[in-house]
């Protein structure tokens, strides 16, 4: 039976395995998915998780629950020797092992791309995982609690200041969602004022959201300004040491929360550990039919899709001639990859991937959004409905859809759940504080000299022995 190894269980990996289960006949192939996490994260919902609008567990899809005929391995692929069709699997516990395969599908996704700016690695947080989104939400809520106990002044405003780096879709969405959440929190904190909350977005280019028209992006800037958010265009971050964000303009912004959304790069662990061809931006070189290779040469038995791959955009609208790394392409590439892989196993020819962009939609906080498709642009409430409608339908499986829709329904009537669970990152703190511990061992007492009886000394000198203590006792 042919062995198919899928490296990565994100968008592209999950959908490839999910669709292979539908296309492959029973016993036609053996499919294995390897990922360090046992779930897929629906990343377009991360800004809403960070703003407390969706329960964190509802935007992840359990691999074992939804992949019924696929073997799921929770580990990392740290090496790919495609010349010998062997991959190195490294689990979090135990020894690594060699996994043989006949077909390999590389869908390990992307990670946050950063630059060697002082303080960023130590103080910033990304927005690529569900854990990061939860940490951002809890940090904002906890900082409001702490600020409410402080007198008005610089330290209180530092806790209430948020800096987001990167003006793409992810950056704008989380920036707007956090601004909306902070505004809604103020009614519960009468000690704090709107003027003490500061939100700054730093963008190195002269505009935000390059996926939409310039006119639409300018509308977003004006909308953010109305809500008290500050966007710094043509500005770079020079440092983020000790909670002070230094900008290229010379301005310094004291902040306790720095969110980094300034781009992504292909998963370096998988790319550098493989012998598959790589293009100049560090992505796996992929053909339009999603097989690894070039127009002139095919790497037999190797496939790639999603953010880790450089797939030519046959519509001619891709950046640099390639599909941009987003969920829209990853999902559709994965669906075609499953069909093509099944076709090749059956001796048929694969099809080429071609997808015309459906447009871009973003949520900008409750009841506000923006949508762009060609020359059509929607703004405000109708765009917000379009955003929720599109992503609600795009969420994999009806089981997950109903959970997300349920969160939206509950929040409509009950408002968002603004409770910080930051202590969950150290869940044993209460137990440790009050747990009984063994008393420290006492040092052994030093031996003491026996007391000398003066009468005994006198008796010895006179030659008379004293009565024994034993006889006296008797």
């Amino acid at each position: 039976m042919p062995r198919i190894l899928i490296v990565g269980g994100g968008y592209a990996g999950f959908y490839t395995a999910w669709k292979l289960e539908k296309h492959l006949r029973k016993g036609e192939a053996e499919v294995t998915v390897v990922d360090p996490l046992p779930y897929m994260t629906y990343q377009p919902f991360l800004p809403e998780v960070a703003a407390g609008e969706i329960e964190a567990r509802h935007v992840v899809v359990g691999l074992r629950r939804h992949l019924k005929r696929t073997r799921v391995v929770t580990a990392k692929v740290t090496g790919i020797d495609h010349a010998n069709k062997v991959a190195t699997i490294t689990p979090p516990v135990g020894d690594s092992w060699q996994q043989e395969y006949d077909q390999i599908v590389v869908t390990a996704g992307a990670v946050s791309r950063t630059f060697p700016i002082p303080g960023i690695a130590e103080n910033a947080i990304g927005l690529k995982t569900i854990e990061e989104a939860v940490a951002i939400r809890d940090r904002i809520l906890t900082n409001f609690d702490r600020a409410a106990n402080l007198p008005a002044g610089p330290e209180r405003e530092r806790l209430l200041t948020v800096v987001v780096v990167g003006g793409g879709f992810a950056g704008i969405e989380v920036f707007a969602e956090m601004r909306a959440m902070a505004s809604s929190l103020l009614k519960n904190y009468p000690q704090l004022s709107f003027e003490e909350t500061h939100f700054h977005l730093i963008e190195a280019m002269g505009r935000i959201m390059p996926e939409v028209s310039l006119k639409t992006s300018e509308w977003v800037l004006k909308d953010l300004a109305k809500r008290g958010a500050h966007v710094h265009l043509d500005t770079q971050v020079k440092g983020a040491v000790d909670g002070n964000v230094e900008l290229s303009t010379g301005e310094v912004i004291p902040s306790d929360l720095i969110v980094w959304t300034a781009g992504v790069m292909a998963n370096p662990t998988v790319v550098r550990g493989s012998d598959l061809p790589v293009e100049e931006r560090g992505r796996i070189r992929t053909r339009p039919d999603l097989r690894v290779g070039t127009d002139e040469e095919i790497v037999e038995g190797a496939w790639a899709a999603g953010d880790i791959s450089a797939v030519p955009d046959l519509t001619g609208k891709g950046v640099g001639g390639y599909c941009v790394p987003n969920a829209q392409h990853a999902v559709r590439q994965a669906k075609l990859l499953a069909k093509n892989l099944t076709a090749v196993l059956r001796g048929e020819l694969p099809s080429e991937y071609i997808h015309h962009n459906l447009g871009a939609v973003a949520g900008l906080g409750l009841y506000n959004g923006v949508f762009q498709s060609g020359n059509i642009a929607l703004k405000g409430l109708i765009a917000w409905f379009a955003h929720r409608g599109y992503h609600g339908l795009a969420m994999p499986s009806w089981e997950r859809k109903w959970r997300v829709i349920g969160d939206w329904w509950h929040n409509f009537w009950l408002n968002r759940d603004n409770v910080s669970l930051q202590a969950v990152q150290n869940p044993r703190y209460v137990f440790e504080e009050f747990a009984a511990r063994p008393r420290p061992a006492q040092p052994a007492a030093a031996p003491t000299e026996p007391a000398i009886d003066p009468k005994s000394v006198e008796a010895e000198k006179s030659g008379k022995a004293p009565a024994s203590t034993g006889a006296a006792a008797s």
Side-chain angles (χ1 to χ4, degrees), residues 96-211:
S96 302
W97 72 87
Q98 303 296 310
Q99 179 84 25
E100 297 181 348
Y101 61 83
D102 299 295
Q103 303 279 339
I104 191 167
V105 179
V106 184
T107 55
V111 299
S112 296
R113 180 192 62 185
T114 59
F115 306 100
I117 300 171
I120 287 296
E122 295 79 11
N123 300 314
I125 185 170
L127 191 66
K128 290 290 293 178
T129 67
I130 190 65
E131 294 83 1
E132 290 173 323
V134 171
I136 290 170
R137 180 199 67 192
D138 288 345
R139 175 70 68 85
I140 293 176
L141 295 172
T142 299
N143 281 359
F144 265 73
D145 288 333
R146 292 172 177 172
N149 295 326
L150 295 175
E155 180 57 22
R156 187 155 93 173
E157 293 198 25
R158 186 184 73 84
L159 290 172
L160 300 176
T161 299
V162 175
V163 174
V164 176
V165 185
F169 253 68
I172 290 296
E173 283 194 285
V174 73
F175 183 65
E177 292 284 0
M178 289 190 298
R179 172 68 271 184
M181 180 178 74
S183 298
S184 71
L185 284 175
L186 289 171
K187 63 180 180 291
N188 299 321
Y189 295 88
Q191 310 94 323
L192 306 177
S193 66
F194 180 86
E195 290 72 24
E196 291 177 298
T197 61
H198 307 287
F199 282 75
H200 297 269
L201 184 134
I202 317 302
E203 170 54 48
M205 296 175 59
R207 61 164 296 181
I208 60 171
M209 304 174 74
E211 300 90 344

Side-chain angles (χ1 to χ4, degrees), residues 313-354:
D313 190 339
L314 300 184
T315 67
K317 299 178 181 179
V319 179
Y322 295 100
C323 296
V324 296
N326 61 24
Q328 193 174 138
H329 281 303
V331 170
R332 287 166 175 79
Q333 288 171 5
K335 292 178 180 180
L336 178 63
L337 195 157
K339 290 181 180 179
N340 283 351
L341 181 49
T342 303
V344 169
L345 290 178
R346 297 172 182 173
E348 302 170 3
L349 292 177
S351 303
E352 292 186 336
Y353 175 77
I354 180 169

